[in-house]
Structures are given as structure tokens and as C-alpha cells.
PDB file of all heavy atoms in Angstrom:
ATOM      1  N   ALA Z   1       3.083   3.385  -1.796  1.00 97.00           N
ATOM      2  CA  ALA Z   1       3.553   2.127  -1.214  1.00 97.00           C
ATOM      3  C   ALA Z   1       3.372   2.096   0.292  1.00 97.00           C
ATOM      4  O   ALA Z   1       3.395   1.011   0.888  1.00 97.00           O
ATOM      5  CB  ALA Z   1       5.025   1.914  -1.557  1.00 97.00           C
ATOM      6  N   ARG Z   2       3.200   3.241   0.912  1.00 95.00           N
ATOM      7  CA  ARG Z   2       3.030   3.287   2.366  1.00 95.00           C
ATOM      8  C   ARG Z   2       1.587   3.074   2.790  1.00 95.00           C
ATOM      9  O   ARG Z   2       1.291   3.032   3.995  1.00 95.00           O
ATOM     10  CB  ARG Z   2       3.592   4.602   2.901  1.00 95.00           C
ATOM     11  CG  ARG Z   2       5.095   4.684   2.625  1.00 95.00           C
ATOM     12  CD  ARG Z   2       5.775   5.874   3.234  1.00 95.00           C
ATOM     13  NE  ARG Z   2       7.221   5.780   3.012  1.00 95.00           N
ATOM     14  CZ  ARG Z   2       8.137   6.225   3.849  1.00 95.00           C
ATOM     15  NH1 ARG Z   2       7.776   6.816   4.968  1.00 95.00           N
ATOM     16  NH2 ARG Z   2       9.412   6.107   3.579  1.00 95.00           N
ATOM     17  N   GLY Z   3       0.709   2.923   1.799  1.00 92.00           N
ATOM     18  CA  GLY Z   3      -0.649   2.503   2.080  1.00 92.00           C
ATOM     19  C   GLY Z   3      -1.421   3.419   2.999  1.00 92.00           C
ATOM     20  O   GLY Z   3      -1.172   4.616   3.097  1.00 92.00           O
ATOM     21  N   SER Z   4      -2.371   2.816   3.699  1.00 89.00           N
ATOM     22  CA  SER Z   4      -3.216   3.549   4.643  1.00 89.00           C
ATOM     23  C   SER Z   4      -3.292   2.759   5.941  1.00 89.00           C
ATOM     24  O   SER Z   4      -3.837   1.644   5.976  1.00 89.00           O
ATOM     25  CB  SER Z   4      -4.622   3.736   4.057  1.00 89.00           C
ATOM     26  OG  SER Z   4      -5.481   4.367   4.993  1.00 89.00           O
ATOM     27  N   GLY Z   5      -2.724   3.309   6.994  1.00 92.00           N
ATOM     28  CA  GLY Z   5      -2.691   2.583   8.259  1.00 92.00           C
ATOM     29  C   GLY Z   5      -1.881   1.313   8.104  1.00 92.00           C
ATOM     30  O   GLY Z   5      -0.743   1.330   7.667  1.00 92.00           O
ATOM     31  N   ASP Z   6      -2.518   0.169   8.450  1.00 93.00           N
ATOM     32  CA  ASP Z   6      -1.832  -1.113   8.313  1.00 93.00           C
ATOM     33  C   ASP Z   6      -2.307  -1.883   7.082  1.00 93.00           C
ATOM     34  O   ASP Z   6      -2.131  -3.090   6.983  1.00 93.00           O
ATOM     35  CB  ASP Z   6      -2.019  -1.958   9.569  1.00 93.00           C
ATOM     36  CG  ASP Z   6      -3.488  -2.256   9.871  1.00 93.00           C
ATOM     37  OD1 ASP Z   6      -4.360  -1.791   9.108  1.00 93.00           O
ATOM     38  OD2 ASP Z   6      -3.757  -2.950  10.867  1.00 93.00           O
ATOM     39  N   THR Z   7      -2.921  -1.167   6.142  1.00 96.00           N
ATOM     40  CA  THR Z   7      -3.402  -1.781   4.906  1.00 96.00           C
ATOM     41  C   THR Z   7      -2.464  -1.441   3.761  1.00 96.00           C
ATOM     42  O   THR Z   7      -2.349  -0.280   3.357  1.00 96.00           O
ATOM     43  CB  THR Z   7      -4.826  -1.306   4.556  1.00 96.00           C
ATOM     44  OG1 THR Z   7      -5.710  -1.619   5.623  1.00 96.00           O
ATOM     45  CG2 THR Z   7      -5.316  -1.977   3.276  1.00 96.00           C
ATOM     46  N   GLY Z   8      -1.789  -2.438   3.244  1.00 96.00           N
ATOM     47  CA  GLY Z   8      -0.876  -2.225   2.132  1.00 96.00           C
ATOM     48  C   GLY Z   8      -1.617  -2.022   0.830  1.00 96.00           C
ATOM     49  O   GLY Z   8      -2.723  -2.512   0.642  1.00 96.00           O
ATOM     50  N   LYS Z   9      -0.975  -1.293  -0.100  1.00 97.00           N
ATOM     51  CA  LYS Z   9      -1.580  -1.040  -1.404  1.00 97.00           C
ATOM     52  C   LYS Z   9      -0.788  -1.658  -2.553  1.00 97.00           C
ATOM     53  O   LYS Z   9      -1.342  -1.904  -3.625  1.00 97.00           O
ATOM     54  CB  LYS Z   9      -1.693   0.478  -1.639  1.00 97.00           C
ATOM     55  CG  LYS Z   9      -2.637   1.192  -0.689  1.00 97.00           C
ATOM     56  CD  LYS Z   9      -4.074   0.753  -0.882  1.00 97.00           C
ATOM     57  CE  LYS Z   9      -5.022   1.539   0.006  1.00 97.00           C
ATOM     58  NZ  LYS Z   9      -6.429   1.074  -0.126  1.00 97.00           N
ATOM     59  N   VAL Z  10       0.507  -1.888  -2.343  1.00 98.00           N
ATOM     60  CA  VAL Z  10       1.382  -2.367  -3.416  1.00 98.00           C
ATOM     61  C   VAL Z  10       1.866  -3.772  -3.095  1.00 98.00           C
ATOM     62  O   VAL Z  10       2.329  -4.044  -1.980  1.00 98.00           O
ATOM     63  CB  VAL Z  10       2.585  -1.421  -3.613  1.00 98.00           C
ATOM     64  CG1 VAL Z  10       3.560  -1.989  -4.647  1.00 98.00           C
ATOM     65  CG2 VAL Z  10       2.099  -0.034  -4.052  1.00 98.00           C
ATOM     66  N   GLY Z  11       1.783  -4.666  -4.084  1.00 98.00           N
ATOM     67  CA  GLY Z  11       2.171  -6.057  -3.852  1.00 98.00           C
ATOM     68  C   GLY Z  11       3.624  -6.347  -4.144  1.00 98.00           C
ATOM     69  O   GLY Z  11       4.295  -7.027  -3.362  1.00 98.00           O
ATOM     70  N   PHE Z  12       4.124  -5.853  -5.278  1.00 98.00           N
ATOM     71  CA  PHE Z  12       5.474  -6.163  -5.741  1.00 98.00           C
ATOM     72  C   PHE Z  12       6.113  -4.887  -6.267  1.00 98.00           C
ATOM     73  O   PHE Z  12       5.492  -4.141  -7.039  1.00 98.00           O
ATOM     74  CB  PHE Z  12       5.402  -7.223  -6.846  1.00 98.00           C
ATOM     75  CG  PHE Z  12       6.709  -7.482  -7.561  1.00 98.00           C
ATOM     76  CD1 PHE Z  12       7.669  -8.329  -7.004  1.00 98.00           C
ATOM     77  CD2 PHE Z  12       6.975  -6.891  -8.786  1.00 98.00           C
ATOM     78  CE1 PHE Z  12       8.866  -8.576  -7.670  1.00 98.00           C
ATOM     79  CE2 PHE Z  12       8.164  -7.136  -9.454  1.00 98.00           C
ATOM     80  CZ  PHE Z  12       9.114  -7.979  -8.896  1.00 98.00           C
ATOM     81  N   THR Z  13       7.346  -4.626  -5.849  1.00 98.00           N
ATOM     82  CA  THR Z  13       7.991  -3.376  -6.251  1.00 98.00           C
ATOM     83  C   THR Z  13       9.488  -3.458  -5.976  1.00 98.00           C
ATOM     84  O   THR Z  13       9.994  -4.491  -5.516  1.00 98.00           O
ATOM     85  CB  THR Z  13       7.359  -2.180  -5.504  1.00 98.00           C
ATOM     86  OG1 THR Z  13       7.894  -0.950  -6.013  1.00 98.00           O
ATOM     87  CG2 THR Z  13       7.625  -2.262  -4.001  1.00 98.00           C
ATOM     88  N   TRP Z  14      10.173  -2.373  -6.270  1.00 98.00           N
ATOM     89  CA  TRP Z  14      11.605  -2.283  -6.011  1.00 98.00           C
ATOM     90  C   TRP Z  14      11.881  -1.049  -5.171  1.00 98.00           C
ATOM     91  O   TRP Z  14      11.162  -0.047  -5.245  1.00 98.00           O
ATOM     92  CB  TRP Z  14      12.384  -2.195  -7.328  1.00 98.00           C
ATOM     93  CG  TRP Z  14      12.266  -3.421  -8.174  1.00 98.00           C
ATOM     94  CD1 TRP Z  14      12.998  -4.559  -8.075  1.00 98.00           C
ATOM     95  CD2 TRP Z  14      11.353  -3.644  -9.256  1.00 98.00           C
ATOM     96  NE1 TRP Z  14      12.611  -5.479  -9.014  1.00 98.00           N
ATOM     97  CE2 TRP Z  14      11.601  -4.941  -9.766  1.00 98.00           C
ATOM     98  CE3 TRP Z  14      10.346  -2.876  -9.853  1.00 98.00           C
ATOM     99  CZ2 TRP Z  14      10.886  -5.482 -10.830  1.00 98.00           C
ATOM    100  CZ3 TRP Z  14       9.640  -3.413 -10.917  1.00 98.00           C
ATOM    101  CH2 TRP Z  14       9.902  -4.702 -11.389  1.00 98.00           C
ATOM    102  N   GLY Z  15      12.927  -1.108  -4.346  1.00 96.00           N
ATOM    103  CA  GLY Z  15      13.253   0.027  -3.502  1.00 96.00           C
ATOM    104  C   GLY Z  15      14.596  -0.141  -2.827  1.00 96.00           C
ATOM    105  O   GLY Z  15      15.324  -1.122  -3.048  1.00 96.00           O
ATOM    106  N   TRP Z  16      14.922   0.835  -1.972  1.00 93.00           N
ATOM    107  CA  TRP Z  16      16.212   0.850  -1.282  1.00 93.00           C
ATOM    108  C   TRP Z  16      16.213  -0.037  -0.048  1.00 93.00           C
ATOM    109  O   TRP Z  16      17.010  -0.944   0.095  1.00 93.00           O
ATOM    110  CB  TRP Z  16      16.560   2.290  -0.911  1.00 93.00           C
ATOM    111  CG  TRP Z  16      17.654   2.422   0.111  1.00 93.00           C
ATOM    112  CD1 TRP Z  16      17.519   2.861   1.398  1.00 93.00           C
ATOM    113  CD2 TRP Z  16      19.046   2.115  -0.052  1.00 93.00           C
ATOM    114  NE1 TRP Z  16      18.740   2.847   2.049  1.00 93.00           N
ATOM    115  CE2 TRP Z  16      19.694   2.384   1.171  1.00 93.00           C
ATOM    116  CE3 TRP Z  16      19.799   1.628  -1.115  1.00 93.00           C
ATOM    117  CZ2 TRP Z  16      21.055   2.182   1.365  1.00 93.00           C
ATOM    118  CZ3 TRP Z  16      21.159   1.428  -0.931  1.00 93.00           C
ATOM    119  CH2 TRP Z  16      21.779   1.701   0.307  1.00 93.00           C
ATOM    120  N   GLU Z  17      15.275   0.217   0.864  1.00 93.00           N
ATOM    121  CA  GLU Z  17      15.232  -0.489   2.150  1.00 93.00           C
ATOM    122  C   GLU Z  17      13.782  -0.550   2.585  1.00 93.00           C
ATOM    123  O   GLU Z  17      12.985   0.319   2.228  1.00 93.00           O
ATOM    124  CB  GLU Z  17      16.109   0.255   3.164  1.00 93.00           C
ATOM    125  CG  GLU Z  17      16.308  -0.438   4.500  1.00 93.00           C
ATOM    126  CD  GLU Z  17      15.259  -0.033   5.533  1.00 93.00           C
ATOM    127  OE1 GLU Z  17      14.658   1.047   5.361  1.00 93.00           O
ATOM    128  OE2 GLU Z  17      15.054  -0.789   6.492  1.00 93.00           O
ATOM    129  N   VAL Z  18      13.416  -1.561   3.343  1.00 95.00           N
ATOM    130  CA  VAL Z  18      11.998  -1.862   3.549  1.00 95.00           C
ATOM    131  C   VAL Z  18      11.259  -0.746   4.295  1.00 95.00           C
ATOM    132  O   VAL Z  18      10.129  -0.400   3.937  1.00 95.00           O
ATOM    133  CB  VAL Z  18      11.838  -3.236   4.240  1.00 95.00           C
ATOM    134  CG1 VAL Z  18      12.378  -3.215   5.657  1.00 95.00           C
ATOM    135  CG2 VAL Z  18      10.397  -3.716   4.196  1.00 95.00           C
ATOM    136  N   THR Z  19      11.861  -0.162   5.344  1.00 92.00           N
ATOM    137  CA  THR Z  19      11.163   0.934   6.029  1.00 92.00           C
ATOM    138  C   THR Z  19      11.163   2.190   5.182  1.00 92.00           C
ATOM    139  O   THR Z  19      10.215   2.975   5.214  1.00 92.00           O
ATOM    140  CB  THR Z  19      11.800   1.236   7.400  1.00 92.00           C
ATOM    141  OG1 THR Z  19      13.172   1.638   7.228  1.00 92.00           O
ATOM    142  CG2 THR Z  19      11.739   0.031   8.310  1.00 92.00           C
ATOM    143  N   ASP Z  20      12.218   2.378   4.412  1.00 90.00           N
ATOM    144  CA  ASP Z  20      12.302   3.522   3.515  1.00 90.00           C
ATOM    145  C   ASP Z  20      11.223   3.436   2.443  1.00 90.00           C
ATOM    146  O   ASP Z  20      10.622   4.451   2.072  1.00 90.00           O
ATOM    147  CB  ASP Z  20      13.697   3.541   2.884  1.00 90.00           C
ATOM    148  CG  ASP Z  20      13.895   4.675   1.902  1.00 90.00           C
ATOM    149  OD1 ASP Z  20      13.591   4.495   0.708  1.00 90.00           O
ATOM    150  OD2 ASP Z  20      14.371   5.727   2.326  1.00 90.00           O
ATOM    151  N   ARG Z  21      10.973   2.240   1.959  1.00 95.00           N
ATOM    152  CA  ARG Z  21      10.014   2.063   0.869  1.00 95.00           C
ATOM    153  C   ARG Z  21       8.569   2.043   1.359  1.00 95.00           C
ATOM    154  O   ARG Z  21       7.678   2.617   0.721  1.00 95.00           O
ATOM    155  CB  ARG Z  21      10.312   0.736   0.140  1.00 95.00           C
ATOM    156  CG  ARG Z  21       9.410   0.478  -1.083  1.00 95.00           C
ATOM    157  CD  ARG Z  21       9.788   1.386  -2.231  1.00 95.00           C
ATOM    158  NE  ARG Z  21       8.929   1.151  -3.389  1.00 95.00           N
ATOM    159  CZ  ARG Z  21       7.835   1.860  -3.658  1.00 95.00           C
ATOM    160  NH1 ARG Z  21       7.469   2.846  -2.873  1.00 95.00           N
ATOM    161  NH2 ARG Z  21       7.118   1.600  -4.741  1.00 95.00           N
ATOM    162  N   PHE Z  22       8.318   1.396   2.503  1.00 95.00           N
ATOM    163  CA  PHE Z  22       6.936   1.171   2.922  1.00 95.00           C
ATOM    164  C   PHE Z  22       6.561   1.879   4.220  1.00 95.00           C
ATOM    165  O   PHE Z  22       5.399   1.826   4.627  1.00 95.00           O
ATOM    166  CB  PHE Z  22       6.684  -0.333   3.060  1.00 95.00           C
ATOM    167  CG  PHE Z  22       7.020  -1.117   1.835  1.00 95.00           C
ATOM    168  CD1 PHE Z  22       8.164  -1.899   1.777  1.00 95.00           C
ATOM    169  CD2 PHE Z  22       6.208  -1.064   0.717  1.00 95.00           C
ATOM    170  CE1 PHE Z  22       8.495  -2.619   0.643  1.00 95.00           C
ATOM    171  CE2 PHE Z  22       6.522  -1.783  -0.436  1.00 95.00           C
ATOM    172  CZ  PHE Z  22       7.677  -2.555  -0.475  1.00 95.00           C
ATOM    173  N   GLY Z  23       7.525   2.510   4.881  1.00 92.00           N
ATOM    174  CA  GLY Z  23       7.241   3.140   6.162  1.00 92.00           C
ATOM    175  C   GLY Z  23       7.295   2.141   7.302  1.00 92.00           C
ATOM    176  O   GLY Z  23       7.273   0.926   7.096  1.00 92.00           O
ATOM    177  N   ASN Z  24       7.356   2.647   8.507  1.00 91.00           N
ATOM    178  CA  ASN Z  24       7.524   1.788   9.678  1.00 91.00           C
ATOM    179  C   ASN Z  24       6.353   0.838   9.900  1.00 91.00           C
ATOM    180  O   ASN Z  24       6.535  -0.310  10.332  1.00 91.00           O
ATOM    181  CB  ASN Z  24       7.722   2.648  10.927  1.00 91.00           C
ATOM    182  CG  ASN Z  24       9.038   3.404  10.912  1.00 91.00           C
ATOM    183  OD1 ASN Z  24       9.986   2.996  10.240  1.00 91.00           O
ATOM    184  ND2 ASN Z  24       9.105   4.495  11.651  1.00 91.00           N
ATOM    185  N   THR Z  25       5.137   1.284   9.614  1.00 95.00           N
ATOM    186  CA  THR Z  25       3.954   0.472   9.907  1.00 95.00           C
ATOM    187  C   THR Z  25       3.842  -0.739   8.985  1.00 95.00           C
ATOM    188  O   THR Z  25       3.576  -1.862   9.434  1.00 95.00           O
ATOM    189  CB  THR Z  25       2.674   1.328   9.790  1.00 95.00           C
ATOM    190  OG1 THR Z  25       2.749   2.423  10.714  1.00 95.00           O
ATOM    191  CG2 THR Z  25       1.442   0.494  10.111  1.00 95.00           C
ATOM    192  N   LEU Z  26       4.034  -0.535   7.699  1.00 96.00           N
ATOM    193  CA  LEU Z  26       3.837  -1.615   6.727  1.00 96.00           C
ATOM    194  C   LEU Z  26       5.085  -2.451   6.474  1.00 96.00           C
ATOM    195  O   LEU Z  26       4.978  -3.554   5.928  1.00 96.00           O
ATOM    196  CB  LEU Z  26       3.348  -1.034   5.393  1.00 96.00           C
ATOM    197  CG  LEU Z  26       1.930  -0.471   5.366  1.00 96.00           C
ATOM    198  CD1 LEU Z  26       1.587   0.034   3.975  1.00 96.00           C
ATOM    199  CD2 LEU Z  26       0.917  -1.529   5.800  1.00 96.00           C
ATOM    200  N   ALA Z  27       6.239  -1.940   6.858  1.00 95.00           N
ATOM    201  CA  ALA Z  27       7.486  -2.653   6.548  1.00 95.00           C
ATOM    202  C   ALA Z  27       7.465  -4.129   6.938  1.00 95.00           C
ATOM    203  O   ALA Z  27       7.950  -4.978   6.164  1.00 95.00           O
ATOM    204  CB  ALA Z  27       8.668  -1.943   7.203  1.00 95.00           C
ATOM    205  N   PRO Z  28       6.920  -4.517   8.102  1.00 96.00           N
ATOM    206  CA  PRO Z  28       6.943  -5.938   8.477  1.00 96.00           C
ATOM    207  C   PRO Z  28       6.175  -6.855   7.523  1.00 96.00           C
ATOM    208  O   PRO Z  28       6.381  -8.078   7.544  1.00 96.00           O
ATOM    209  CB  PRO Z  28       6.311  -5.947   9.872  1.00 96.00           C
ATOM    210  CG  PRO Z  28       6.556  -4.572  10.410  1.00 96.00           C
ATOM    211  CD  PRO Z  28       6.431  -3.676   9.217  1.00 96.00           C
ATOM    212  N   GLN Z  29       5.306  -6.282   6.695  1.00 97.00           N
ATOM    213  CA  GLN Z  29       4.546  -7.116   5.762  1.00 97.00           C
ATOM    214  C   GLN Z  29       5.388  -7.578   4.570  1.00 97.00           C
ATOM    215  O   GLN Z  29       5.020  -8.534   3.885  1.00 97.00           O
ATOM    216  CB  GLN Z  29       3.328  -6.349   5.225  1.00 97.00           C
ATOM    217  CG  GLN Z  29       2.279  -6.024   6.266  1.00 97.00           C
ATOM    218  CD  GLN Z  29       1.037  -5.398   5.650  1.00 97.00           C
ATOM    219  OE1 GLN Z  29       0.825  -5.465   4.433  1.00 97.00           O
ATOM    220  NE2 GLN Z  29       0.207  -4.794   6.481  1.00 97.00           N
ATOM    221  N   TYR Z  30       6.495  -6.910   4.314  1.00 98.00           N
ATOM    222  CA  TYR Z  30       7.247  -7.138   3.078  1.00 98.00           C
ATOM    223  C   TYR Z  30       8.536  -7.902   3.326  1.00 98.00           C
ATOM    224  O   TYR Z  30       9.137  -7.826   4.393  1.00 98.00           O
ATOM    225  CB  TYR Z  30       7.564  -5.801   2.404  1.00 98.00           C
ATOM    226  CG  TYR Z  30       6.345  -5.126   1.839  1.00 98.00           C
ATOM    227  CD1 TYR Z  30       5.527  -4.337   2.649  1.00 98.00           C
ATOM    228  CD2 TYR Z  30       5.981  -5.297   0.507  1.00 98.00           C
ATOM    229  CE1 TYR Z  30       4.396  -3.717   2.138  1.00 98.00           C
ATOM    230  CE2 TYR Z  30       4.851  -4.684  -0.008  1.00 98.00           C
ATOM    231  CZ  TYR Z  30       4.064  -3.896   0.809  1.00 98.00           C
ATOM    232  OH  TYR Z  30       2.934  -3.300   0.302  1.00 98.00           O
ATOM    233  N   THR Z  31       8.941  -8.628   2.292  1.00 98.00           N
ATOM    234  CA  THR Z  31      10.202  -9.354   2.342  1.00 98.00           C
ATOM    235  C   THR Z  31      10.961  -9.114   1.045  1.00 98.00           C
ATOM    236  O   THR Z  31      10.350  -8.892  -0.017  1.00 98.00           O
ATOM    237  CB  THR Z  31       9.964 -10.859   2.552  1.00 98.00           C
ATOM    238  OG1 THR Z  31      11.202 -11.512   2.751  1.00 98.00           O
ATOM    239  CG2 THR Z  31       9.273 -11.481   1.344  1.00 98.00           C
ATOM    240  N   SER Z  32      12.289  -9.143   1.121  1.00 97.00           N
ATOM    241  CA  SER Z  32      13.094  -8.991  -0.083  1.00 97.00           C
ATOM    242  C   SER Z  32      13.218 -10.332  -0.790  1.00 97.00           C
ATOM    243  O   SER Z  32      13.158 -11.401  -0.167  1.00 97.00           O
ATOM    244  CB  SER Z  32      14.472  -8.429   0.259  1.00 97.00           C
ATOM    245  OG  SER Z  32      15.125  -9.228   1.226  1.00 97.00           O
ATOM    246  N   MET Z  33      13.398 -10.284  -2.100  1.00 98.00           N
ATOM    247  CA  MET Z  33      13.356 -11.476  -2.941  1.00 98.00           C
ATOM    248  C   MET Z  33      14.678 -11.712  -3.660  1.00 98.00           C
ATOM    249  O   MET Z  33      15.444 -10.781  -3.915  1.00 98.00           O
ATOM    250  CB  MET Z  33      12.264 -11.320  -4.011  1.00 98.00           C
ATOM    251  CG  MET Z  33      10.862 -11.156  -3.493  1.00 98.00           C
ATOM    252  SD  MET Z  33       9.727 -10.745  -4.857  1.00 98.00           S
ATOM    253  CE  MET Z  33       9.933 -12.163  -5.953  1.00 98.00           C
ATOM    254  N   SER Z  34      14.890 -12.940  -4.046  1.00 97.00           N
ATOM    255  CA  SER Z  34      16.005 -13.281  -4.932  1.00 97.00           C
ATOM    256  C   SER Z  34      15.659 -12.846  -6.353  1.00 97.00           C
ATOM    257  O   SER Z  34      14.486 -12.669  -6.691  1.00 97.00           O
ATOM    258  CB  SER Z  34      16.253 -14.784  -4.914  1.00 97.00           C
ATOM    259  OG  SER Z  34      16.578 -15.241  -3.622  1.00 97.00           O
ATOM    260  N   PRO Z  35      16.667 -12.702  -7.220  1.00 98.00           N
ATOM    261  CA  PRO Z  35      16.373 -12.418  -8.624  1.00 98.00           C
ATOM    262  C   PRO Z  35      15.530 -13.528  -9.221  1.00 98.00           C
ATOM    263  O   PRO Z  35      15.681 -14.703  -8.867  1.00 98.00           O
ATOM    264  CB  PRO Z  35      17.762 -12.360  -9.282  1.00 98.00           C
ATOM    265  CG  PRO Z  35      18.704 -12.071  -8.162  1.00 98.00           C
ATOM    266  CD  PRO Z  35      18.119 -12.739  -6.956  1.00 98.00           C
ATOM    267  N   LEU Z  36      14.648 -13.185 -10.125  1.00 98.00           N
ATOM    268  CA  LEU Z  36      13.785 -14.162 -10.779  1.00 98.00           C
ATOM    269  C   LEU Z  36      14.477 -14.768 -11.990  1.00 98.00           C
ATOM    270  O   LEU Z  36      15.257 -14.103 -12.680  1.00 98.00           O
ATOM    271  CB  LEU Z  36      12.492 -13.488 -11.239  1.00 98.00           C
ATOM    272  CG  LEU Z  36      11.604 -12.878 -10.150  1.00 98.00           C
ATOM    273  CD1 LEU Z  36      10.603 -11.933 -10.778  1.00 98.00           C
ATOM    274  CD2 LEU Z  36      10.907 -13.966  -9.360  1.00 98.00           C
ATOM    275  N   LYS Z  37      14.191 -16.026 -12.269  1.00 98.00           N
ATOM    276  CA  LYS Z  37      14.594 -16.624 -13.537  1.00 98.00           C
ATOM    277  C   LYS Z  37      13.591 -16.193 -14.599  1.00 98.00           C
ATOM    278  O   LYS Z  37      12.397 -15.981 -14.305  1.00 98.00           O
ATOM    279  CB  LYS Z  37      14.624 -18.144 -13.421  1.00 98.00           C
ATOM    280  CG  LYS Z  37      15.668 -18.684 -12.455  1.00 98.00           C
ATOM    281  CD  LYS Z  37      15.594 -20.203 -12.332  1.00 98.00           C
ATOM    282  CE  LYS Z  37      15.954 -20.878 -13.645  1.00 98.00           C
ATOM    283  NZ  LYS Z  37      16.004 -22.361 -13.497  1.00 98.00           N
ATOM    284  N   ALA Z  38      14.052 -16.042 -15.835  1.00 98.00           N
ATOM    285  CA  ALA Z  38      13.130 -15.653 -16.896  1.00 98.00           C
ATOM    286  C   ALA Z  38      12.113 -16.754 -17.171  1.00 98.00           C
ATOM    287  O   ALA Z  38      10.948 -16.490 -17.479  1.00 98.00           O
ATOM    288  CB  ALA Z  38      13.902 -15.320 -18.165  1.00 98.00           C
ATOM    289  N   ALA Z  39      12.553 -18.013 -17.042  1.00 97.00           N
ATOM    290  CA  ALA Z  39      11.666 -19.162 -17.255  1.00 97.00           C
ATOM    291  C   ALA Z  39      12.170 -20.329 -16.418  1.00 97.00           C
ATOM    292  O   ALA Z  39      13.346 -20.378 -16.055  1.00 97.00           O
ATOM    293  CB  ALA Z  39      11.624 -19.542 -18.727  1.00 97.00           C
TER     294      ALA Z  39
END
């Protein structure tokens, strides 16, 4: 999930905290989401 340099590899995932999950470099690319509706 921390990719290579400033190039992300993972689009959608779950984790604890954005820098913890993606590292300091890629963290700004990601945003947390609301729960999804099934339909």
C-alpha cells in the first residue's frame, strides 16, 4: 500500500490511520470513506 515513491499501488482498502497505512509520502492521496450501502 505504500507504493513506490509518489506512485500509489492500491486503490481501495481498510486500515488504522492514513499515514500508518500508506506512509507519509502517499497519505495525502487517500481519503477516508463513509460506510457503503449494499444497494
Side-chain angles (χ1 to χ4, degrees):
R2 297 186 175 213
S4 176
D6 60 359
T7 302
K9 295 295 184 183
V10 175
F12 171 82
T13 186
W14 295 276
W16 164 249
E17 187 269 338
V18 67
T19 61
D20 179 271
R21 183 73 180 95
F22 306 105
N24 292 336
T25 301
L26 290 181
Q29 294 186 16
Y30 290 84
T31 187
S32 55
M33 299 172 59
S34 300
L36 298 164
K37 295 177 65 175

